[in-house]
Amino acid sequence: MTIRGEGYSGGEAAEPAGALPERRASADPELDLRPAAGAQLDRRAFAGALVRALATSAVVAPLAAAAGCSERQRANPRQDAALLADALVTQYQARHAYGRALPLLRPDERAQVASLRAQESEHARALARLLAQLGRKPPQPLTAAEYDAQLPTLRDRRDALVLLRDVEDLEIRTLLLALARVSDPALRRPALALAAAEAAQAMALANLAGARAPQRPFVTGRPRQ
């Protein structure tokens, strides 16, 4: 996907609802967070119950089972590293998007969102450590100019929040894919922990955007009304 903007200038790039930068190397003092090739941003398909449900540990077992995680799966460190590298790519993009969105937010919101951006860097470092354990060098992020060239036009606060919610959704999807496909059971816990942390961030952004919290559990056993 490509987050492309038509009139956005300066600072770090914020990624649009719909696309992410392609993989290319560049220098960055922190971990690499380039987007996974072919990753698709679809907030409408992912934003509802799943994002909120991931914030609770109650869904861990069913999620892993549904994803096909198996203790008997043959070890494939190379595939595991590729999945984690893709997750790292999305973390870099998100960090850049947060930097782009911050100036458009209200003064009273910026400290909280800056804290969320700092968490993206922490998540990136965690993924880089996991990659190092697998013997793979973390991928390098794009330059700010390269990200900027692929971002959408951010005109106001609403655009900024839509962008940030989209990139959070993409991060969660990428981490869930890693959770479903990693062959090493020891990698599932950190992948799920990161997905839950991103879900919490997505909920914080939804709250800033004025989204209503659910009034009852999503899975109740009750027939649809």
Side-chain angles (χ1 to χ4, degrees), residues 1-224:
M1 305 181 47
T2 299
I3 294 182
R4 190 169 190 79
E6 303 172 356
Y8 202 82
S9 61
E12 295 178 298
E15 331 204 352
L20 292 174
E22 302 182 0
R23 297 185 176 203
R24 284 182 291 169
S26 77
D28 188 297
E30 298 185 52
L31 304 181
D32 177 85
L33 289 176
R34 291 164 298 166
Q40 292 298 316
L41 228 84
D42 185 356
R43 184 163 63 88
R44 287 177 298 179
F46 192 72
L50 183 58
V51 172
R52 295 182 177 87
L54 279 173
T56 72
S57 58
V59 299
V60 174
L63 194 59
C69 296
S70 170
E71 296 292 336
R72 300 178 182 177
Q73 186 175 359
R74 179 174 299 179
N76 189 341
R78 187 171 183 176
Q79 172 182 289
D80 292 351
L83 290 164
L84 295 179
D86 283 348
L88 184 54
V89 158
T90 63
Q91 293 287 337
Y92 278 127
Q93 285 198 312
R95 186 182 63 192
H96 199 73
Y98 270 97
R100 267 319 227 167
L102 268 171
L104 296 175
L105 301 177
R106 295 196 298 252
D108 60 312
E109 298 170 335
R110 291 174 190 165
Q112 179 183 0
V113 174
S115 175
L116 297 180
R117 183 178 188 268
Q119 291 176 35
E120 298 294 349
S121 293
E122 293 175 7
H123 299 166
R125 285 189 285 271
L127 286 166
R129 288 192 294 269
L130 291 173
L131 283 169
Q133 292 171 15
L134 293 172
R136 172 162 174 175
K137 183 178 179 180
Q140 293 301 304
L142 302 176
T143 64
E146 288 174 313
Y147 280 125
D148 285 344
Q150 300 178 19
L151 298 184
T153 300
L154 299 182
R155 300 180 180 85
D156 53 27
R157 174 180 176 274
R158 180 185 178 281
D159 287 350
L161 289 174
V162 167
L163 171 67
L164 295 181
R165 295 178 72 183
D166 282 346
V167 295
E168 286 292 349
D169 288 349
L170 180 63
E171 287 182 288
I172 298 169
R173 287 158 58 99
T174 305
L175 287 163
L176 287 181
L177 179 65
L179 175 67
R181 295 186 178 178
V182 290
S183 63
D184 184 351
L187 295 175
R188 293 177 197 147
R189 182 180 295 275
L192 183 67
L194 287 170
E198 296 297 350
Q201 293 185 200
M203 288 189 290
L205 292 169
N207 184 57
L208 289 179
R212 294 179 58 189
Q215 301 302 307
R216 62 187 183 189
F218 287 102
V219 180
T220 64
R222 302 174 185 172
R224 184 184 298 273

